């Protein structure tokens, strides 16, 4: 091992708005003081309850993926485990998510875009 993962950074036009969106979905604390990052107008963090940190960096040239259309390819996405897909979808949409087309025949997960256009999936947790 040569490194440890400190954070996943999502480029976006409005970092604080996107951090707040994910805090509504995942809980956690937006912009907790942390010596690893300089917070400010162009950079926000979300410290999740389990210890993971998501970061959000302003990119004025950010272009959202056009998934499933390959015109602007999907580079990565987040899978978020949920107990109840319908209840989670209701909350995600109320927080500002947009539902995307889930491929036919797929059960147990649904595809969305966050307010900046990053793709994420709600995945039914198997218990």
């Amino acid at each position: 091992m040569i490194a440890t993962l400190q954070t996943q950074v999502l480029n976006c036009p409005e970092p604080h708005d996107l951090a707040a969106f994910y805090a509504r979905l995942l809980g956690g604390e937006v912009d907790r003081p942390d010596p690893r990052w300089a917070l400010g107008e162009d950079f926000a963090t979300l410290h999740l309850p389990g210890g993971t940190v998501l970061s959000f960096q302003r990119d004025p040239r950010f272009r959202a993926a056009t998934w499933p259309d390959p015109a602007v390819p999907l580079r990565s996405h987040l899978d978020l485990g949920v107990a109840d897909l319908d209840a989670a979808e209701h909350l995600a949409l109320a927080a500002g998510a947009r539902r995307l087309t889930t491929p036919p025949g797929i059960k147990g997960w649904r595809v969305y875009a966050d307010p900046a256009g990053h793709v994420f999936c709600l995945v039914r947790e198997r218990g």
Side-chain angles (χ1 to χ4, degrees), residues 60-127:
R61 299 175 309 180
F62 174 76
R63 290 181 52 209
T66 53
W67 189 89
D69 178 350
V72 179
L74 178 64
R75 293 169 285 296
S76 67
H77 70 277
L78 301 173
D79 284 348
L80 309 179
V82 299
D84 181 325
L85 278 172
D86 292 330
E89 175 175 90
H90 176 76
L91 294 171
L93 295 174
R98 179 172 43 92
R99 181 134 186 220
L100 301 176
T101 303
T102 301
I106 301 296
K107 294 184 181 181
W109 58 273
R110 297 177 188 162
V111 184
Y112 304 83
D114 68 24
H118 298 101
V119 174
F120 71 95
C121 297
L122 295 179
V123 181
R124 185 180 316 115
E125 293 176 333
R126 307 276 184 226

Side-chain angles (χ1 to χ4, degrees), residues 28-96:
E29 185 178 348
V30 173
D31 287 345
R32 175 194 300 170
D34 188 316
R36 296 176 288 182
W37 300 286
L39 302 172
E41 185 177 315
D42 295 328
F43 194 81
T45 60
L46 175 61
H47 285 73
L48 298 174
T52 301
V53 179
L54 292 177
S55 297
F56 308 89
Q57 180 172 302
R58 186 180 310 281
D59 179 353
R61 299 175 309 180
F62 174 76
R63 290 181 52 209
T66 53
W67 189 89
D69 178 350
V72 179
L74 178 64
R75 293 169 285 296
S76 67
H77 70 277
L78 301 173
D79 284 348
L80 309 179
V82 299
D84 181 325
L85 278 172
D86 292 330
E89 175 175 90
H90 176 76
L91 294 171
L93 295 174

